[in-house]
Amino acid sequence: MSFVDPYRARTLRDPSQLGATPFFNRGRSKSLRALIEPHLNPDGTLKVSYPDPRVVWEWNNRVMARPADYQPRGPLNPFYLNEHYSGGDPNSAMVDDEFTAAVDLAVRWSVMGDYEAGAAAVRIVEAWSRVTAIETNAGSTMNFANHWPIILEAALMVGDHPEYTRPTHKRLEGVTTLGLASAELIGGIATNNLGAWANCYTFAAAVFLIDQDLFERAIIRWRTLFDYAVVNNVPVEEVHRQSSGQGDGSFGLWYSNFFLYGMVAAAEWARFGGVWLYDYKSNTDRSTFKDFAMQVRAWTRYPETFPYNTSGTPSGTPRILAHDDILQALWPTPEGAWLLANFPTG
């Protein structure tokens, strides 16, 4: 009999995982509850006083701050947002808030068994299951691709709630299938952040639809995208970005992170679907996903070292993104620890 070490065990392919609840699955929810319960405040609010300020902020100000009587404002039908760079779009703000509310409330159900919070999450996903069309402008297609997986995550977490119905699930399947055309439109051949987020959508759709063929195509696309988009561990489509399009690199550090975020989000959907992508090595040069991620991390920690900004305005790091937590857990470094410590909330 032979055994594998823990790292090797988690990298092994497991097709049986496709369709399982990602992120807040039963085991992780149980572990999180065990972590939180000893630190609950005695006032009955289920808020915590916990040694890690990141946990305190996310739990108290997001998960527990959502009202259990939350009533959805959506859906947008057709799903329509302004062009990506126009700004000031009330629909965009509403989608951001409503979709994340669905997950926050679903976490309460998954971790704490809060029936009313779970029912509120169901109301949100049920409302948005009634989308029947998606506009084809850049704002709508891009934002649908990188937001709809949040609804799918919430739906999978409340799939065992008594108020989650089969008709709701079937409608969500329909909207998800409809969204595949939008994902293909923005990212079918793109080798930049659009491609990364379209690929993330495809993974999420494959998991929700339990579509093995679609999942396999998403794996191929993720690897191919990395082959074309990353050269010498540099995201070549992103580093010269201005606020819109290629140029002086003034937004290059931000777009490098946004591309990395999309690739990590896709890899996480893949991981919970049974496939490990983090050890990938390019077929076109010696770039590896780890070395690429560490390069972006180093620039983010020391933005003055980002060499592609010729605008005259120094690059900066005003915030971090969710991939920083994930990658620091996987590949801890002093740079990653500094970023988490200095951007501790929100």
Side-chain angles (χ1 to χ4, degrees):
M1 173 180 256
S2 63
F3 294 92
V4 294
D5 62 69
Y7 181 86
R8 177 63 180 154
R10 68 182 176 185
T11 68
L12 295 175
R13 180 75 183 265
D14 186 0
S16 69
Q17 290 299 306
L18 187 64
T21 300
F23 312 118
F24 285 87
N25 56 28
R26 185 170 299 175
R28 291 182 114 199
S29 293
K30 184 178 178 180
S31 297
L32 183 56
R33 178 167 183 154
L35 232 99
I36 284 173
E37 278 189 316
H39 302 279
L40 289 174
N41 295 334
D43 57 8
T45 62
L46 295 183
K47 292 190 174 184
V48 297
S49 299
Y50 191 79
D52 187 335
R54 298 170 66 79
V55 172
V56 171
W57 197 93
E58 295 291 343
W59 185 263
N60 291 350
N61 296 291
R62 289 192 51 154
V63 173
M64 294 311 304
R66 300 291 187 178
D69 61 352
Y70 190 104
Q71 296 299 318
R73 291 165 283 168
L76 299 172
N77 203 11
F79 186 93
Y80 175 83
L81 301 180
N82 291 343
E83 289 295 333
H84 185 56
Y85 296 103
S86 61
D89 182 3
N91 285 350
S92 180
M94 188 266 280
V95 167
D96 281 340
D97 184 65
E98 188 115 303
F99 284 26
T100 54
V103 170
D104 292 337
L105 291 159
V107 168
R108 293 242 294 275
W109 163 251
S110 179
V111 175
M112 304 303 292
D114 185 330
Y115 186 96
E116 294 304 322
V122 171
R123 284 195 296 274
I124 297 172
V125 300
E126 196 282 330
W128 286 90
S129 75
R130 299 180 183 277
V131 171
T132 59
I134 304 162
E135 291 293 326
T136 57
N137 72 316
S140 298
T141 52
M142 172 64 178
N143 280 281
F144 190 86
N146 70 10
H147 281 76
W148 190 250
I150 302 171
I151 285 289
L152 298 185
E153 180 187 347
L156 288 165
M157 281 198 287
V158 296
D160 60 348
H161 194 282
E163 296 190 24
Y164 186 83
T165 66
R166 185 62 185 166
T168 294
H169 192 83
K170 293 297 290 184
R171 285 194 300 271
L172 287 169
E173 289 179 333
V175 182
T176 301
T177 301
L178 178 68
L180 285 169
S182 290
E184 182 66 20
L185 182 68
I186 68 159
I189 60 172
T191 54
N192 59 9
N193 64 87
L194 297 179
W197 285 106
N199 183 239
C200 178
Y201 183 94
T202 305
F203 270 118
V207 170
F208 190 77
L209 299 171
I210 316 179
D211 187 329
Q212 189 69 54
D213 289 341
L214 185 62
F215 191 73
E216 295 295 331
R217 293 201 298 274
I219 294 169
I220 293 169
R221 173 61 179 150
W222 189 95
R223 291 170 173 159
T224 303
L225 177 59
F226 185 83
D227 288 347
Y228 281 93
V230 179
V231 179
N232 295 324
N233 301 308
V234 172
V236 291
E237 296 282 342
E238 309 297 347
V239 291
H240 296 289
R241 293 290 293 264
Q242 292 182 198
S243 60
S244 177
Q246 295 289 327
D248 60 19
S250 53
F251 280 71
L253 179 55
W254 167 254
Y255 274 99
S256 295
N257 272 283
F258 191 55
F259 173 73
L260 176 59
Y261 184 12
M263 294 294 282
V264 169
E268 285 293 283
W269 278 99
R271 179 165 75 92
F272 281 92
V275 172
W276 182 265
L277 294 174
Y278 288 107
D279 59 0
Y280 186 67
K281 182 177 180 179
S282 174
N283 281 312
T284 55
D285 68 7
R286 299 184 64 82
S287 296
T288 68
F289 189 76
K290 179 181 179 179
D291 288 342
F292 154 60
M294 295 302 96
Q295 177 63 83
V296 175
R297 177 185 291 175
W299 288 334
T300 306
R301 168 62 182 94
Y302 300 106
E304 68 277 7
T305 67
F306 181 70
Y308 301 95
N309 181 359
T310 60
S311 70
T313 300
S315 298
T317 300
R319 58 177 290 198
I320 57 174
L321 295 167
H323 66 267
D324 290 292
D325 287 277
I326 295 166
L327 295 177
Q328 178 66 4
L330 180 59
W331 297 309
T333 66
E335 292 80 11
W338 187 92
L339 289 168
L340 297 189
N342 283 271
F343 298 93
T345 59

